[in-house]
Amino acid sequence: MTTLSDPPKDQGFRLSQLIYDTRYRSITIQVVAMLAFMLIAAFLIRNTIINLSALGKDINFGFLSSRAAYDINQQIIPYTSDDPHWRAALVGLLNTLLIAILGCTLATVIGVVAGVLRLSKNWLTAKIMTVYVESFRNIPVLLWILAFMAVLSEGLPAPRAFRGEDAAASMWFWDSVAVTNRGTYVPAPVWGSGSSVVVIAFLLSLLGIWAFGKWSNRHFEETGQHLPNFWIKLGILIVPSVLVYFIMGRPISLSYPELKGFNFDGGLHLRNSMLALWLALSFYTGSFIAEIVRSGILAISKGQTEAAFALGLRPSWTMNLVILPQALRVIIPPLISQYLNLTKNSSLALAVGYMDLRSTLGGTTLNTTGRELECMLLMMLIYLIVSLIISSGMNIYNKSVKLKER
């Protein structure tokens, strides 16, 4: 006859449970790891303070309010050499963000187009895209930046080539854009009284496009009716802004570049350093995005395409409405890494003389003030915050396109 023994009585908590009891072991490991990290960090900070004291230095960020005393060639906001170092760092940060936004946008367009065309049934088109992808992603991006800078500086005409009746070079787009070896000159907006109302109307139009897109998707899911979204969104974007523009008396005008003396005057000057950095980072990152897009499309079952064709959908509709929405779930996670890489690779701007955050705060300011540690800490913190913002925004978008499960 089998007898059941009494369950063991609770003997209380013992220190050995921190190692041998699975209920406490994970907490123990985390606490030990945290303590080790704090000890190492405290040692490094203490060692740094002692070494700085031995050199007669202290950690002080007061240099940010002192006069910068250097110029920045590419500016988004007004800046002079009499401004403090913090404003110089702000100008450099805005230049970095400008390259990041323009680069991510152009790289996405290039990557999507190249990724789709690599799967084309046209042999020549597919091979050309293959050559582009393999060439750009297997050569260091710094070399591409220098190559684009060399092409823009040496391959384009000088401003004097635009002078005279039999000029060797001519301006583009009805004499409004001048592409020279000193940079590209484009029309610049001149903001008059009431221009803010036009800008607000334009921003509201963008909000209206977003709201219409959400409603259109719901309408399509409920009724199956496909609306001409492109033309409707284009109308929402253009019509209200144009109406407000004329109602307010055309408060926004354009300043066109004109050849005066030895160079162009007026308009907006886009320096070759900025263009070279933007194009090189865009094409380089676009080659990686192309492979991400191609792999995302190939991850979708061919049955989806066949079913769409069986329903009578055209190839363009099949790609836009069936394949790409499903492929986004595969594309977006690695796409986030490419956006972060492009943003951080913009620190190579120093190679072509573009004054970004690395060139201002981590370059001239660092050298003139002698505050190496403070400048490096600030620069690392700013890059960390920017990267976290990009990652968080893309993760929110990734959650919105993920497959909703019950």
Side-chain angles (χ1 to χ4, degrees):
M1 181 175 179
T2 305
T3 58
L4 297 175
S5 59
D6 294 335
K9 296 181 179 180
D10 188 5
Q11 299 178 358
F13 177 78
R14 300 184 305 277
L15 289 177
S16 60
Q17 290 179 304
L18 294 176
I19 299 176
Y20 299 108
D21 194 324
T22 57
R23 293 175 298 174
Y24 303 104
R25 184 185 303 159
S26 61
I27 299 177
T28 303
I29 295 174
Q30 294 180 52
V31 171
V32 171
M34 178 59 70
L35 290 175
F37 173 78
M38 294 175 64
L39 288 174
I40 294 173
F43 170 77
L44 293 175
I45 293 173
R46 179 176 177 275
N47 191 43
T48 301
I49 294 174
I50 292 175
N51 291 334
L52 287 175
S53 299
L55 295 173
K57 289 185 175 183
D58 60 344
I59 299 178
N60 189 349
F61 293 92
F63 70 95
L64 291 173
S65 59
S66 62
R67 181 173 178 267
Y70 64 90
D71 294 323
I72 300 177
N73 51 22
Q74 191 80 44
Q75 305 170 13
I76 297 180
I77 60 175
Y79 168 83
T80 65
S81 59
D82 293 326
D83 289 326
H85 283 290
W86 68 263
R87 189 169 183 87
L90 177 61
V91 174
L93 173 60
L94 292 177
N95 287 343
T96 295
L97 295 178
L98 175 65
I99 289 295
I101 294 172
L102 294 178
C104 289
T105 303
L106 182 58
T108 303
V109 174
I110 293 173
V112 172
V113 172
V116 173
L117 292 181
R118 277 205 71 181
L119 299 173
S120 173
K121 295 181 180 179
N122 186 300
W123 182 87
L124 181 60
T125 300
K127 292 303 177 183
I128 291 176
M129 291 299 104
T130 301
V131 170
Y132 155 68
V133 170
E134 298 302 331
S135 298
F136 270 87
R137 70 180 194 148
N138 288 300
I139 296 178
V141 62
L142 179 59
L143 298 182
W144 283 117
I145 295 174
L146 296 176
F148 273 91
M149 185 65 182
V151 170
L152 293 175
S153 300
E154 304 296 334
L156 296 178
R160 65 174 179 270
F162 293 81
R163 184 179 290 106
E165 304 217 351
D166 296 329
S170 59
M171 299 176 66
W172 298 359
F173 303 110
W174 304 282
D175 293 336
S176 62
V177 176
V179 181
T180 74
N181 60 358
R182 297 184 184 178
T184 299
Y185 299 84
V186 298
V190 178
W191 309 98
S193 177
S195 58
S196 58
V197 180
V198 180
V199 174
I200 293 174
F202 178 75
L203 295 177
L204 291 177
S205 297
L206 296 178
L207 181 62
I209 290 174
W210 175 81
F212 171 77
K214 300 288 286 185
W215 175 84
S216 178
N217 290 334
R218 260 196 333 269
H219 179 74
F220 177 75
E221 292 174 358
E222 293 173 358
T223 65
Q225 183 181 1
H226 182 71
L227 300 175
N229 291 340
F230 173 78
W231 296 109
I232 295 177
K233 290 180 179 179
L234 187 62
I236 296 175
L237 177 66
I238 295 178
V239 173
S241 301
V242 172
L243 288 177
V244 173
Y245 174 76
F246 282 102
I247 291 173
M248 297 302 297
R250 296 188 291 182
I252 302 176
S253 58
L254 293 176
S255 171
Y256 293 93
E258 297 179 359
L259 183 61
K260 294 182 179 180
F262 297 100
N263 206 347
F264 281 90
D265 189 22
L268 182 64
H269 182 198
L270 304 178
R271 296 181 178 272
N272 284 338
S273 56
M274 190 202 84
L275 295 175
L277 182 67
W278 173 37
L279 294 175
L281 291 179
S282 299
F283 278 92
Y284 178 80
T285 308
S287 64
F288 289 89
I289 295 178
E291 287 297 275
I292 294 173
V293 171
R294 185 172 71 96
S295 63
I297 294 174
L298 291 177
I300 307 302
S301 172
K302 290 184 179 180
Q304 298 288 318
T305 304
E306 295 170 353
F309 289 162
L311 292 174
L313 292 180
R314 292 179 292 185
S316 59
W317 284 19
T318 300
M319 179 61 68
N320 294 330
L321 301 177
V322 179
I323 304 302
L324 284 181
Q326 297 183 74
L328 281 177
R329 300 163 191 160
V330 181
I331 292 172
I332 291 177
L335 185 63
I336 299 174
S337 298
Q338 295 305 319
Y339 285 167
L340 295 177
N341 289 338
L342 188 148
T343 303
K344 290 180 287 188
N345 284 337
S346 65
S347 60
L348 297 171
L350 186 62
V352 290
Y354 180 71
M355 300 292 285
D356 68 332
L357 181 66
R358 167 65 180 85
S359 301
T360 54
L361 180 61
T364 308
T365 295
L366 184 151
N367 293 327
T368 56
T369 61
R371 293 290 178 175
E372 305 89 353
L373 180 62
E374 293 88 338
C375 290
M376 286 294 111
L377 289 176
L378 284 174
M379 192 166 60
M380 290 184 343
L381 179 62
I382 291 172
Y383 274 114
L384 176 63
I385 293 174
V386 171
S387 297
L388 290 177
I389 291 175
I390 295 174
S391 179
S392 300
M394 290 299 296
N395 281 321
I396 292 174
Y397 178 67
N398 185 37
K399 289 181 181 180
S400 69
V401 299
K402 284 177 65 176
L403 185 63
K404 305 298 186 296
E405 298 181 355
R406 294 182 179 179

